Structure formats: C-alpha cells, structure tokens
C-alpha cells in the first residue's frame, strides 16, 4: 500500500510540474494587443509631403488609441461606392454656409488672433452649431488648454486661448472608447503656423484635447490640405465599426490657399456641404444618417469654378475608414 501511495504521489508531482511549465509558457505567449501608434510612424508619402506632427502623446487624451489609427495615409485607386447598409434619413440642422464673411485663405494674421483673454470668433455664425454659443465654445477652449497643456516652453505647451481662432463647434457623440456625449470645439492658429486643437467638453468639464500641425510650406502640398489626425471629428471609435450611433454630427477642417474660393465636403448619404472659409482654413459640418465605410470626399474650386483639388486624387488622404 505504501508503494501504491508512493506511485500516486509521483504522478501528482509530475502533473504539477507539467502545469507549471505550461503556465510559464503562456506567460511569454500572452501579450496585450499593441496600440496603433506605429501606424502614425508609417505614414510614408503623407508624412514626407505634409510633415503633420502630433504635439505629444500626453496631449492625445481624447480617444487616444483610436485616433492613432486615423493617421494612416490613404490607399490607391478611385473612390468606390459606399456599400454599408443605409438607414432611414433623419432631418438635421443645416451645416456651415459658404465663405460669406470669411477670408479665403492667404492673408496672414497676427500671432495673437483672439481678443484679450480669449480666442477670436469664427467668420460665420454657421460654424457654431447645435445651440453652442461662442461664449460656451471659448470657455471650453480655455478649460481644455488649462487642463491639458504642458508647462510654458515645453513641447506640450499649446499656448493660451487668445492665440487661437475658433472655427468650428459641434456636439460630440460618445462611443465605446469615449462614452458620454458632449461638444467638440476646434480652434486654430494662423494658417502659416498650421496649428489646430480639438477640445472635448462633457458636462461642462474638459475631458481631453488633441492637437496637430499642418505644414503648408512643404513643396508639393496642394491648395487644400486635410490633416489625417483630425479624424475624431468625423469618426466614431473603430471598435464600433458598423454600429455607429445615428444620427451623427460630423465635422472636418483643413487649410486652403488664397486661390481657393470654394470647398465642398460630401459624406455618406448627404449631398455636398459648402464649407466656411476662415482666414486660410476651411470648416464643414453635417449630419450622418447611415453607417459608412468611406471617409468624407473633399473638393476645392478656384474663383472661376475650376476644380483644383479632389481628395480622391490625393495619395496622402485616407479614403476608407479604419
């Protein structure tokens, strides 16, 4: 009986050792999925042409992981049909009007574009949507810069509110990555600096800010430039692909040269939206009523009505959503 007991103990010991080996192997094979930040570094042609720079990972607190995926450069081929299943249309407020009242691009502004203690107002009333007042947008921008900006002189220093002009304010829709609805306030510095920030406000509190720079001085840059890192304005989390909350308020910004007199943006089932032109920037917004797989389609025209930019022909623009 002692022999039998010894044999059982040896079997148990062998099983325990094997389990320890398996667990040790699993400890090396199970790894968390990598964040999409390497996609930003693989921008290839887009990076060489535009040299779009993020201010720093510390600033990307607004949907930080998904936004990284938005920076991937566009693919090849023409624009195909959007094959996502449409949903019933829902009436929505009008998007920003055209360039009435706004600068068409090239005129330089002073380094400090805003009034004392606050940002400058947008060129048109249509750039403040969904009942958001300029006072609310300016207050939100101040809160975001105070909460998210780095020490003066550091790489994360975004400056003060008076350094900016607000060009778009729209409601934001919460998703799986950033729950809770709120508002987005988009502000920019003068076109030559190319600096933009998108501030997220929820329940009156700053909940994050993202920032980037469009280098309009790079040779080969077209008359209209869209920063791929600003995709949070027109996308919900890639984790919710095909299951976006609808209707969805979307927005888009970019820079324009002085020769550009009109910019239109088409997205989903809606017709072309004429963007507002504001001191060398364009800002557009609309309402999406269907699931989509293609990014907004942008066109730019000169004063004679000639097409001078088409995002379908822009190799640096990502025409499909992640």
């Amino acid at each position: 009986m002692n022999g039998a007991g010894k044999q059982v103990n040896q079997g148990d010991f062998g099983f325990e050792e094997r389990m320890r080996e398996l667990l040790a192997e699993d400890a090396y094979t199970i790894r968390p999925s990598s964040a999409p930040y390497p996609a930003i570094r693989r921008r290839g042609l887009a990076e060489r042409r535009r040299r779009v720079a993020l201010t720093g990972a510390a600033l990307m607190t607004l949907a930080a992981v998904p936004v990284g995926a938005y920076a991937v450069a566009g693919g090849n081929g023409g624009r195909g049909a959007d094959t996502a299943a449409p949903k019933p249309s829902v009436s929505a407020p009008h998007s920003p009007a055209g360039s009435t009242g706004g600068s068409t691009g090239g005129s330089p502004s002073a380094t400090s574009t805003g009034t004392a203690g606050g940002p400058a107002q947008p060129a048109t009333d249509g750039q403040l949507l969904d009942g958001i007042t300029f006072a609310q947008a300016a207050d939100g921008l101040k809160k975001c810069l105070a909460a998210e900006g780095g020490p003066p002189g550091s790489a994360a220093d975004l400056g003060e509110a008076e350094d900016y002009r607000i060009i778009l304010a729209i409601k934001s829709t919460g998703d799986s990555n950033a729950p809770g609805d709120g508002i987005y306030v988009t502000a920019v510095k003068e076109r030559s600096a190319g600096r933009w920030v998108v501030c997220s406000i929820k329940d009156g509190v700053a909940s994050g800010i993202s920032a980037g720079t469009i280098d309009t001085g790079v040779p080969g840059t077209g008359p209209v430039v869209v920063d791929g890192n600003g995709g949070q304005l027109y996308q919900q989390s890639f984790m919710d692909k095909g299951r976006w909350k609808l209707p969805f308020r979307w927005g888009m910004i970019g820079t324009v040269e002085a020769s550009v007199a009109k910019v239109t943006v088409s997205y989903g089932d809606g017709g072309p939206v004429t963007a507002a032109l504001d001191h060398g920037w364009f800002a557009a917004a609309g309402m999406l009523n269907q699931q989509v797989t293609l990014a907004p389609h942008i066109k730019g025209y000169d004063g004679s009505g000639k097409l001078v930019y088409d995002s379908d022909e822009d190799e640096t623009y990502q025409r499909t959503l992640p």
Side-chain angles (χ1 to χ4, degrees), residues 138-192:
D139 180 65
L141 178 63
K142 290 179 184 179
K143 289 178 178 177
C144 282
L145 293 173
E148 307 293 343
S154 69
D157 179 17
L158 295 176
E160 303 295 332
E162 55 263 35
D163 299 331
Y164 291 88
R165 174 183 303 277
I166 291 176
I167 63 169
L168 191 62
I170 59 176
K171 68 179 181 180
S172 64
T173 301
D175 54 38
S176 295
N177 185 68
D181 296 344
I183 68 173
Y184 283 144
V185 177
T186 303
V188 299
K189 291 189 176 181
E190 68 273 14
R191 181 182 181 275
S192 59

Side-chain angles (χ1 to χ4, degrees), residues 88-101:
S89 297
V90 179
S91 59
H94 292 294
S95 299
S99 58
T100 303

